[in-house]
Amino acid sequence: MEYGQRLIEIKDRIAAACQRVGRDPDEVTIVAVTKYIGADETAALVEAGQQDLGENRLQVALPKLDALAERAPGVRWHYIGSLQTNKVKEVLQRFHLIHSLDRLSLAKEIDKRARALGITVPCLVQVNVSGEESKGGFAPEEVAEFLGHLAEMPGIEVQGFMTMAPAGVDPEAARPVFRGLREWRDRWLAEGTAPATATRLSMGMSGDFEIAVEEGAAFVRIGSILVKP
Ligand SMILES: *Cc1c(COP(=O)(O)O)cnc(C)c1O
């Protein structure tokens, strides 16, 4: 395992990207996507200093959450994949942040269960900036209305927005998507359609995270370059 070394390299690249645009590297959180590895390797990653972990499928995530609950109690789990409404009750109170709030029915279910538990659930609204049909999330033009619904849901705290860039060989191709999300966020905040808490952007993966950092990412979701053998 060379997780420590790989983390150092990724952090160096994030720091360099921050320097290019005058950002503070402390504003960027690496979410290590552990979907490719098992519980023992995930524990080794935590031991190497990585505390924020992401999973995109609940069935794959739960055994790891259970396995790490005692070994690494400080870990923060991020739910980054599409979430079925009937799985919401298993996600609440296990995950630190849901990055993929992508439809009204899901929001209603989270809100209902959160209020029953007396908690508020931090979420990011997923936005399909690129307009690709295969991508989940709201079209940017639909977000203001959705935020209006969320304003009536005390069980949900909107902390920002998430997007997926088209997969491709040229990382620069992702820049307009990342920049687009930042500009939409700025507009929603300025108009007051988004609550003041909705500042954080989750964008960028192994192939394009430096571009995402240059465009304002607060979370980069990094899997393959960190954890793949
Ligand atoms: C798998 C996954 C990632 C990580 O992708 P890599 O290219 O392996 O870094 C990021 N976000 C989501 C939603 C994913 O499913």
Side-chain angles (χ1 to χ4, degrees):
M1 309 276 187
E2 65 228 59
Y3 293 145
Q5 189 53 40
R6 289 192 191 180
L7 278 168
I8 288 170
E9 285 167 18
I10 292 166
K11 285 177 187 167
D12 281 349
R13 291 170 62 183
I14 289 172
C18 283
Q19 193 160 30
R20 289 195 286 277
V21 295
R23 295 190 67 198
D24 176 353
D26 288 344
E27 294 171 6
V28 183
T29 297
I30 299 170
V31 176
V33 179
T34 51
K35 65 189 180 191
Y36 308 107
I37 56 176
D40 287 341
E41 293 156 298
T42 304
L45 183 62
V46 175
E47 212 146 281
Q50 180 60 32
Q51 291 281 319
D52 289 89
L53 307 177
E55 286 280 341
N56 69 335
R57 287 179 55 215
L58 193 66
Q59 308 89 293
V60 176
L62 286 181
K64 273 178 248 178
L65 266 73
D66 289 341
L68 265 72
E70 284 184 18
R71 292 160 75 175
V75 155
R76 291 178 291 271
W77 286 99
H78 296 249
Y79 196 85
I80 62 171
S82 76
L83 178 55
Q84 288 173 261
T85 307
N86 64 3
K87 296 286 196 294
V88 165
K89 70 171 178 303
E90 294 178 81
V91 166
L92 297 195
Q93 296 188 296
R94 286 195 165 107
F95 286 84
H96 173 74
L97 180 63
I98 297 172
H99 290 230
S100 45
L101 184 56
D102 62 358
R103 57 194 194 281
L104 184 58
S105 59
L106 177 62
K108 284 180 174 166
E109 179 69 12
I110 293 172
D111 178 57
K112 185 182 86 184
R113 292 197 175 269
R115 283 187 289 114
L117 291 164
I119 60 172
T120 48
V121 177
C123 293
L124 307 178
V125 174
Q126 186 172 349
V127 185
N128 183 356
V129 178
S130 69
E132 278 181 292
E133 270 181 37
S134 60
K135 295 275 188 289
F138 291 93
E141 297 77 17
E142 301 169 337
V143 171
E145 186 188 342
F146 182 56
L147 289 168
H149 289 290
L150 292 177
E152 310 292 312
M153 298 187 194
I156 293 179
E157 180 181 71
V158 188
Q159 292 199 345
F161 304 92
M162 181 271 233
T163 200
M164 308 265 292
V169 281
D170 177 14
E172 277 297 332
R175 190 182 296 278
V177 172
F178 298 150
R179 182 171 296 172
L181 187 63
R182 169 163 55 86
E183 291 174 350
W184 279 105
R185 182 223 31 209
D186 291 345
R187 182 188 307 186
W188 295 319
L189 286 171
E191 292 171 349
T193 35
T197 50
T199 57
R200 304 165 98 188
L201 303 177
S202 171
M203 55 191 196
M205 318 200 312
S206 289
D208 53 23
F209 69 92
E210 289 148 298
I211 309 280
V213 168
E214 289 176 12
E215 296 298 335
F219 299 102
V220 288
R221 308 180 307 270
I222 298 184
S224 27
I225 62 164
L226 176 58
V227 301
K228 276 202 174 165

